[in-house]
Amino acid sequence: SIKNLSIRCSNRSIPDWISAVNYITHTHTLCQAFYYLVLFSPKYAIISLMKEDIITLPNPNLRKKAERVHVVTDEIRKIVHKMVAASLDWEKSHPHEISAALAAPQINELYKIIIVRSDLDDKSNQEFTALINPEIVKFEGQTVNDYEGCLSIKGIYGLVPRASKIRVKALDIEGNEVR
């Protein structure tokens, strides 16, 4: 598990740490490797968040306009990692629910960053896709109504209409445009 690996790697020397990184990048998907690299990199040593760090209404920052990210820096990557950590921690205490997505303002970071669950049908797949400055460029398919909740509005769920498919333009965690 991630927790066990982080304990084993935390006291290793630099060559052992590099070996761990090589192992991770060859045995995991790119998204998982990024998650592990962020976890073990000295630059990212103290960035773990808990579900308690997800802000809720009436916090005024949830109503403020988020800022565009002009350059994807290590600080932006730290925010993405914090978002994933907070989402997964929230999910641990909600065994029958899945954390589908989270926006940076929900962890009190006023940037246009979201993370979206890579596989909504498999809770054991804990991969998220980070989208920086996301813009919906096209709605496709039928409108589907489904029940949704929000991690920042506790205990309230509602029937929400959504397009069955959308096309999005954004930056990835490396600053490359994705669609």
Side-chain angles (χ1 to χ4, degrees), residues 3 13 25 28 32 34 45-47 52 56 65-66 73 77 85 87 92 94 100 105 114 119 135 137 152 167:
K3 192 174 277 187
S13 65
T25 56
H28 294 78
Q32 289 169 324
F34 169 74
I46 50 171
I47 58 173
E52 293 80 14
T56 58
K65 186 173 179 173
T73 62
R77 291 183 191 94
S87 292
K92 285 179 191 174
H94 296 80
I114 62 170
D119 185 349
E135 296 176 38
V137 294
S152 291
R167 291 184 189 247

Side-chain angles (χ1 to χ4, degrees), residues 4 10 12-13 34 40 54-55 59 85 87 117 119 122 125 127 136 157 169 173:
N4 290 339
S10 62
R12 290 183 173 206
S13 65
F34 169 74
F40 304 128
I54 297 172
I55 62 173
N59 188 309
S87 292
R117 190 64 164 254
D119 185 349
D122 182 8
N125 181 345
E127 293 181 26
I136 297 174
Y157 299 84
K169 178 176 85 169
I173 57 172

Side-chain angles (χ1 to χ4, degrees), residues 54 83-92 94 96-103 106 115-120 122-123 125-128 149-151:
I54 297 172
M83 293 167 67
V84 170
S87 292
L88 293 176
D89 188 58
W90 176 89
E91 195 172 88
K92 285 179 191 174
H94 296 80
H96 302 293
E97 297 180 81
I98 190 165
S99 177
L102 190 72
Q106 291 178 271
I115 59 167
V116 180
R117 190 64 164 254
S118 298
D119 185 349
L120 293 173
D122 182 8
K123 189 172 181 175
N125 181 345
Q126 298 183 339
E127 293 181 26
F128 287 82
C150 176
L151 302 185

